[in-house]
Amino acid sequence: MGPENESAVTEFILEGFPELDPRLQLFFSRVLLLMYLTTVMGNAIIIFLMCVDHHLQTPGDFFICSLAFLEIWFTSSTSIQVFVMLSSGQNTPSLSSCFAQNFFYFALGCTEFVLLVVMPFHCYVAICHPLLYAAIRKLQLCVHLGVAAWVLGFALLSYRLLFLSELSFCGSKIPHFLCDNSPLFKLSCSDTSLLWKIDSVFLPWVEVGSLYLTLAFDICILFCVLHLPATPGRKEALTTCSSHPIPLSIACGNCVALYTCPAEDVSLRTNRTGALLNTALYPFLNPSIYSLGNKSVMLALNKSIASPRTKLFP
C-alpha cells in the first residue's frame, strides 16, 4: 500500500459477525442488550443499596461498590456499540473513537485487576490482622485506595494512546465487533512490534500478578480461618475467600491467551470469542459473584423490597 492509501483511512468499518444470518444477528443483538441492561441494573442496585443503607457503608462494601461502578463503565464502553452495530448497521467509528475505545477497554480492565487485588487484601487484613484493621478501617483510606486503583490503571495504560496515534493504516475493515489489538495491528502499515512487546510483557504482568497476589491473600486467609473455631463467621469468611480467585482466574486466563501472542498468531475466532467473554459474560456474572453471595447485601435488598409493603399494609 502506498502513502495515498495510508492517508485515506479516516474511519474504520467494524464487520462484527458477518458469518451470522441477519435474523440471527438481530436475535444476538437483543440477547446482548438484555445482558447489558441486566449488568447495568444489577450494578446500579448494588450502588444504590450501599448509598442508602448505612449497614453497607463499610470498607469492604465500598470496594464492592467501586467494582460495580467500574463494571458499568467497562461494559458500556463496548456493549452499546455492539448492539447498535448489530441492530442498525452503524459500524463506522472514526480513528479517534476507535483508539479511545481501545484505550478505555484496556485501562478499565487494568483498573479492575487492581481493584480485584485490593478486595482480598482488605479481607486479609480484616481476618488475619484484626487489631491492625481496627486501627486503619476508615472510609477515607478506602476512598484513597479506590482512587489510587483508578489512577494507576489509567496511568499505566496511557502509553497506548501515544503509540496508537502514531500508527498509519493500510485498510479500514476490522473483522471484529470492537477495536481490539489483533485486528488493529493487522491493518497497520507501521511496525507494531514494539507495542506488541510492551503489551506482551506489561499486560500479563498485571493479569498474572493480580491472580498470584489474590491467591496468596486467600491462602493466608484460609490458613487463618482454619485455626478459628467452627462458627457462622468462619463459614462466611471461607465463602468470601473462595469467591475471589474463581472469576479472576477465568478473566486472567482469557486475557493471557489473547494478549501474550503476536497479533498474527491470534485467530479471529479466538479473539472475538475471548473479547465477547470479557465484555459481556464476565461483567454479567460479576454482580452475582461478588454481591448476591454477600449476606449483608441480600438483607439490604430484601429490606428495600419489603419496605413498600410495610407502608401499604401496616
Side-chain angles (χ1 to χ4, degrees):
M1 291 288 182
E4 306 83 21
N5 290 330
E6 294 181 23
S7 60
V9 178
T10 59
E11 63 182 18
F12 292 113
I13 300 174
L14 293 172
E15 295 184 341
F17 305 90
E19 69 277 6
L20 295 181
D21 182 83
R23 289 178 295 180
L24 191 57
Q25 287 196 23
L26 183 60
F27 172 76
F28 189 40
S29 70
R30 291 174 179 174
V31 172
L32 287 178
L33 178 63
L34 180 61
M35 293 179 66
Y36 169 72
L37 293 177
T38 304
T39 301
V40 172
M41 186 178 300
N43 286 305
I45 290 174
I46 292 168
I47 296 172
F48 173 76
L49 289 175
M50 294 183 181
C51 289
V52 301
D53 194 324
H54 68 278
H55 294 101
L56 295 179
Q57 295 173 1
T58 64
D61 294 322
F62 170 79
F63 291 121
I64 294 177
C65 185
S66 300
L67 183 64
F69 180 73
L70 184 143
E71 288 290 4
I72 292 176
W73 285 100
F74 180 74
T75 189
S76 298
S77 67
T78 56
S79 296
I80 295 176
Q81 177 181 281
V82 177
F83 171 73
V84 172
M85 177 183 62
L86 291 176
S87 59
S88 65
Q90 298 181 16
N91 58 346
T92 55
S94 64
L95 267 68
S96 58
S97 62
C98 199
F99 295 161
Q101 184 190 59
N102 182 279
F103 170 72
F104 281 107
Y105 175 70
F106 284 97
L108 289 170
C110 182
T111 304
E112 181 165 352
F113 277 110
V114 175
L115 274 177
L116 291 176
V117 173
V118 173
M119 292 171 66
F121 171 72
H122 165 266
C123 293
Y124 164 75
V125 177
I127 295 173
C128 301
H129 301 280
L131 296 179
L132 176 62
Y133 180 71
I136 65 172
R137 59 168 297 174
K138 297 178 181 178
L139 187 59
Q140 184 179 6
L141 178 61
C142 296
V143 172
H144 289 163
L145 287 174
V147 171
W150 280 80
V151 172
L152 187 63
F154 277 76
L156 290 176
L157 270 297
S158 59
Y159 72 90
R160 298 193 63 82
L161 281 180
L162 177 63
F163 277 96
L164 288 173
S165 63
E166 296 296 324
L167 295 180
S168 56
F169 295 90
C170 300
S172 59
K173 290 186 178 181
I174 300 179
H176 208 295
F177 61 87
L178 60 85
C179 301
D180 205 355
N181 278 355
S182 181
L184 276 180
F185 291 174
K186 289 179 179 178
L187 286 178
S188 177
C189 304
S190 308
D191 183 10
T192 59
S193 59
L194 178 59
L195 182 54
W196 170 77
K197 289 177 182 178
I198 296 175
D199 281 351
S200 63
V201 173
F202 174 73
L203 295 179
W205 179 78
V206 172
E207 296 153 2
V208 178
S210 62
L211 179 60
Y212 283 164
L213 286 174
T214 300
L215 290 175
F217 289 134
D218 285 339
I219 290 172
C220 292
I221 293 172
L222 180 62
F223 280 111
C224 184
V225 170
L226 290 177
H227 286 84
L228 298 176
T231 61
R234 174 180 172 178
K235 182 179 179 181
E236 184 177 351
L238 287 173
T239 303
T240 303
C241 174
S242 63
S243 67
H244 291 145
I246 297 174
L248 183 58
S249 60
I250 296 173
C252 179
N254 186 31
C255 291
V256 168
L258 288 178
Y259 304 119
T260 57
C261 299
E264 59 271 14
D265 293 342
V266 180
S267 69
L268 174 61
R269 183 179 298 273
T270 299
N271 191 276
R272 286 193 309 191
T273 303
L276 196 61
L277 291 175
N278 284 342
T279 59
L281 184 61
Y282 182 68
F284 177 74
L285 296 176
N286 259 359
S288 60
I289 293 173
Y290 286 102
S291 302
L292 297 182
N294 188 311
K295 184 182 294 186
S296 58
V297 173
M298 292 306 299
L299 287 174
L301 181 61
N302 292 332
K303 180 180 177 182
S304 65
I305 295 175
S307 57
R309 298 179 183 177
T310 305
K311 293 179 181 178
L312 290 173
F313 303 103

